[in-house]
Amino acid sequence: MRHKTLQAMMIMSSALLIACNDSGSSSSSSGNGDNGNGNGDNGNGDNDNGQLTVNCEANLDLADNNDGLSREGHSGLSFFAVQDRVCALDSEQGTVFEVARSDNGEDVQQMDTHFSTDASGEMTIEGVVYAMDEHLWWADADASAGGVTPRQISSESRGEDVDSLRVEPDYQNSDNALVVYRLDTEFWYAVPVDAATSQDPAALELPDDGAVSVIAVRDEDGAIEGLILPQGDPSEFTMVFRDIDALDDEGTELDDLSDNLQVLKVGRLDSGDLLIQTRAGYVRAFDREEQELSDPVAIDALDDGVVNLVVTTRYANDGENVYIADHDSDGARLTRLSIDSGEPDIEILRSDIEDAEDFPKFVTTTDDHIVWAYSIEDSDDQIIEVVESIEKADTDQVADYSLPENLVIRDGIGSIGEPWVHTSGNKVFFNASSRSFPDPEGETFRAYWLEPDADPDALNYREDQNWRLALSDPTIHPAVGLARQERSEILVVARDEDVSDSSEEDFATAVPASEPDADGVELGKYGADGGPIGPFLLSSADYGFGPGRLAMRSMTGGENTLYWLDVRHEDSMKPILRNEEGQAHRLQPGF
């Protein structure tokens, strides 16, 4: 069993953030032999002019050296996919290798991480599940280079037709995890992750309405108990509960869902109870112990019960409540949903912010606060980003912060997706950048953080930097749905102010979440190699436990480079693979 714990991974005394700066060219990404990812004894296939072929084979210098880099604390394999291959890094041996390759040459599109917990309740990674050629496969994370033999899951023989796949973990018994997947956009199945090749998957027989949800039910300890799923006519179908031990049975009927067009979001509370929001603008509560689904309750704040598209509605979950931030003709508003005596309880925290422009930027929670952000038009017709902090215990206590008018909360350029926002304790971290790009004379990147309890008036930032990736608290389950994901370490990327000089290279630094302004541990550089540069080019899977992480420098239509880094040690950022064809390496949660 693979277990990456935060307690043993730090040189610093507290959780870490990671930062990147720019200081010219570096051999760390040049593909030479000294860095273990180039030609000669460390070969990675053909290497013309330092460009690495994609063949999942490389050796990295992860042994003790003068830079303090050490094998200590590395355990298990880190998986990723590129083109038609599943690959893995053995950080103990410093070896990158191929786990599996499609016989049909088809790209690996469907893969998910199999999470569990150890005896202390901390997160572990058992392995990964992926669809390749005719079958479903499981690969063990607790193996080593040369020792991985993927195991076929169930009798499924149409793996090439899988177009959606996820692993629903069981945090008490890893063998009870379910693989839930769809064939040809309409046929849904579920099968235990440990199913033998003689076991047939359970057909879920969902209505053919194009977009339906399969909802896993877990108890308060994270043990999976069954699935909630719709059955019958799509115009007025019935929700049923199927027990984990009887997935082939018809299940227990819960209620008709005549208020539903589609299930939109599911909030999973610490009790195991669920808040189920439907696209028609209603919310229902599911009582896990009684296996009862409440009557639908209209969310009055959401514009006559019509919920906006998912891309413009923001959600957060603190384990006791679900928070929804959205916008309609009356302005921005913030709604808190909870469960009271088996029924949904809806509380409007903020509403009718008439000057708000477009949809809110984010909503998140800390230990004691709800923090959300939106844009307003001020008296000078300037669009200003506003961040509000609201006390959970006294929602009349509101503090607001305004960003400079030239900055917008986002990652990258022109993105309408949800921005990078993480929390640690009572701190919130987010990014902002110039409204126009490129603008060599005035372009700005800032990595912001605020801490309402300690300094309610301060909006702090690191200039010319962006938060990019985090090391997650292993006591928080990254469950499917609106799960809480407390962070304990975060990556920051910085670059030279002269964006017109594409020969410069950015660098990454790990800094503590408890001290976001600390100098931190300089991890190394990642090269520009021509084209635009900027902190938003470095990314990772949404969460991972460290101390080692996979990170990718990606450019649309251009070269993508995969890196390995260790937050404890200087100069630990090492290039693994470059893909010259513009196809990104697919990173998995947890790694």
Side-chain angles (χ1 to χ4, degrees):
M1 180 182 296
R2 180 184 195 228
H3 184 193
K4 286 188 169 184
T5 177
L6 292 181
Q7 280 70 23
M9 60 186 257
M10 303 300 167
I11 287 179
M12 297 190 221
S13 60
S14 59
L16 291 182
L17 300 163
I18 303 178
C20 299
N21 290 341
D22 182 11
S23 62
S25 62
S26 167
S27 62
S28 67
S29 60
S30 64
N32 60 33
D34 290 342
N35 286 320
N37 195 27
N39 53 24
D41 294 340
N42 292 322
N44 187 26
D46 296 335
N47 185 0
D48 296 327
N49 299 319
Q51 301 302 304
L52 308 181
T53 61
V54 180
N55 63 6
C56 286
E57 294 180 3
N59 294 312
L60 305 182
D61 182 9
L62 299 182
D64 294 320
N65 57 38
N66 294 332
D67 296 323
L69 188 59
S70 171
R71 298 171 187 263
E72 179 184 358
H74 292 285
S75 62
L77 301 179
S78 295
F79 291 90
F80 61 96
V82 58
Q83 296 178 346
D84 61 348
R85 279 154 263 205
V86 174
C87 311
L89 165 67
D90 183 334
S91 58
E92 184 174 1
Q93 297 185 27
T95 301
V96 184
F97 63 100
E98 183 178 294
V99 174
R101 182 187 303 196
S102 169
D103 292 336
N104 302 326
E106 298 292 333
D107 284 0
V108 179
Q109 299 288 354
Q110 301 300 328
M111 184 162 76
D112 199 13
T113 307
H114 177 197
F115 290 99
S116 187
T117 53
D118 64 9
S120 68
E122 291 197 350
M123 294 295 303
T124 63
I125 296 176
E126 301 288 333
V128 292
V129 173
Y130 59 93
M132 180 177 287
D133 299 334
E134 292 82 11
H135 304 297
L136 304 176
W137 303 91
W138 180 86
D140 188 0
D142 192 28
S144 57
V148 180
T149 303
R151 170 179 57 80
Q152 181 182 329
I153 300 173
S154 80
S155 63
E156 178 57 65
S157 60
R158 294 178 56 191
E160 69 275 10
D161 295 327
V162 173
D163 57 26
S164 179
L165 179 151
R166 72 176 187 263
V167 179
E168 289 286 358
D170 186 304
Y171 296 115
Q172 294 299 309
N173 183 347
S174 64
D175 291 340
N176 282 343
L178 290 178
V179 182
V180 179
Y181 63 99
R182 184 179 64 188
L183 296 175
D184 289 337
T185 72
E186 59 177 324
F187 302 106
W188 285 87
Y189 297 86
V191 65
V193 73
D194 66 342
T197 57
S198 59
Q199 182 172 343
D200 294 333
L204 300 185
E205 300 174 355
L206 304 185
D208 184 17
D209 71 343
V212 292
S213 294
V214 179
I215 304 168
V217 178
R218 296 181 182 84
D219 66 16
E220 63 272 15
D221 296 319
I224 193 167
E225 296 182 326
L227 299 175
I228 295 176
L229 56 150
Q231 302 281 262
D233 189 328
S235 64
E236 189 172 341
F237 50 72
T238 298
M239 299 298 283
V240 301
F241 173 81
R242 292 196 190 182
D243 189 271
I244 184 68
D245 296 321
L247 291 176
D248 285 312
D249 291 352
E250 293 183 359
T252 302
E253 183 173 320
L254 300 175
D255 196 2
D256 70 90
L257 208 56
S258 55
D259 57 287
N260 180 43
L261 296 179
Q262 295 167 357
V263 171
L264 182 63
K265 283 287 184 178
V266 178
R268 194 183 314 279
L269 306 184
D270 288 346
S271 62
D273 295 339
L274 304 174
L275 283 162
I276 303 173
Q277 182 187 351
T278 67
R279 192 177 292 277
Y282 295 87
V283 63
R284 290 172 175 250
F286 175 72
D287 187 311
R288 181 191 59 81
E289 290 188 351
E290 300 296 329
Q291 291 189 9
E292 292 181 354
L293 193 65
S294 74
D295 291 333
V297 177
I299 306 176
D300 295 332
L302 298 183
D303 192 16
D304 300 325
V306 179
V307 178
N308 288 334
L309 295 175
V310 177
V311 71
T312 62
T313 304
R314 309 308 192 195
Y315 297 87
N317 184 349
D318 63 7
E320 296 181 357
N321 310 280
V322 169
Y323 301 89
I324 302 177
D326 92 324
H327 180 282
D328 74 354
S329 58
D330 293 327
R333 78 216 128 197
L334 181 65
T335 305
R336 177 162 59 188
L337 306 180
S338 58
I339 298 177
D340 183 11
S341 301
E343 299 294 328
D345 184 54
I346 301 174
E347 180 182 5
I348 309 303
L349 302 181
R350 298 278 278 134
S351 64
D352 299 335
I353 302 175
E354 296 180 359
D355 295 329
E357 296 285 320
D358 210 358
F359 50 88
K361 295 303 180 71
F362 69 80
V363 60
T364 189
T365 65
T366 70
D367 291 346
D368 301 318
H369 294 81
I370 310 132
V371 179
W372 73 315
Y374 53 87
S375 303
I376 63 169
E377 183 176 345
D378 67 8
S379 57
D380 296 325
D381 296 328
Q382 299 292 328
I383 304 300
I384 304 296
E385 303 284 85
V386 175
V387 181
E388 283 190 351
S389 173
I390 303 170
E391 287 190 12
K392 290 181 180 179
D394 182 1
T395 55
D396 291 332
Q397 296 298 313
V398 180
D400 61 73
Y401 316 80
S402 297
L403 273 63
E405 64 184 43
N406 66 314
L407 295 183
V408 59
I409 296 172
R410 66 182 178 192
D411 290 332
I413 307 166
S415 172
I416 65 170
E418 198 159 358
W420 192 103
V421 179
H422 289 209
T423 66
S424 180
N426 268 320
K427 293 187 182 68
V428 176
F429 304 90
F430 61 93
N431 296 317
S433 60
S434 302
R435 291 184 180 274
S436 60
F437 183 89
D439 181 9
E441 297 299 322
E443 188 198 351
T444 300
F445 289 99
R446 285 182 179 176
Y448 277 100
W449 75 92
L450 61 88
E451 189 173 13
D453 283 340
D455 196 349
D457 300 318
L459 191 56
N460 310 287
Y461 60 89
R462 296 174 69 111
E463 192 71 57
D464 294 321
Q465 302 183 36
N466 265 188
W467 309 110
R468 294 317 299 160
L469 63 91
L471 271 67
S472 307
D473 184 340
T475 65
I476 302 299
H477 297 163
V480 176
L482 302 176
R484 294 179 303 151
Q485 292 176 8
E486 290 288 316
R487 289 347 193 212
S488 57
E489 302 168 356
I490 301 177
L491 249 179
V492 180
V493 220
R495 54 146 187 83
D496 191 271
E497 293 184 2
D498 185 3
V499 298
S500 62
D501 185 358
S502 62
S503 65
E504 298 288 343
E505 292 182 314
D506 301 337
F507 68 81
T509 303
V511 299
S514 59
E515 299 179 70
D517 56 351
D519 291 337
V521 176
E522 187 173 324
L523 302 175
K525 303 170 185 176
Y526 59 99
D529 298 326
I533 59 174
F536 50 84
L537 294 178
L538 192 68
S539 62
S540 72
D542 188 42
Y543 46 81
F545 310 119
R549 289 297 307 274
L550 293 171
M552 182 169 63
R553 178 186 177 276
S554 57
M555 296 176 61
T556 302
E559 180 186 283
N560 298 293
T561 304
L562 184 65
Y563 291 88
W564 168 261
L565 55 86
D566 183 329
V567 299
R568 304 166 302 171
H569 302 298
E570 293 183 355
D571 298 324
S572 63
M573 194 165 184
K574 306 290 185 181
I576 297 175
L577 294 173
R578 289 196 186 103
N579 185 343
E580 301 175 48
E581 299 178 3
Q583 182 175 12
H585 309 88
R586 288 174 290 280
L587 304 184
Q588 296 304 120
F591 304 116

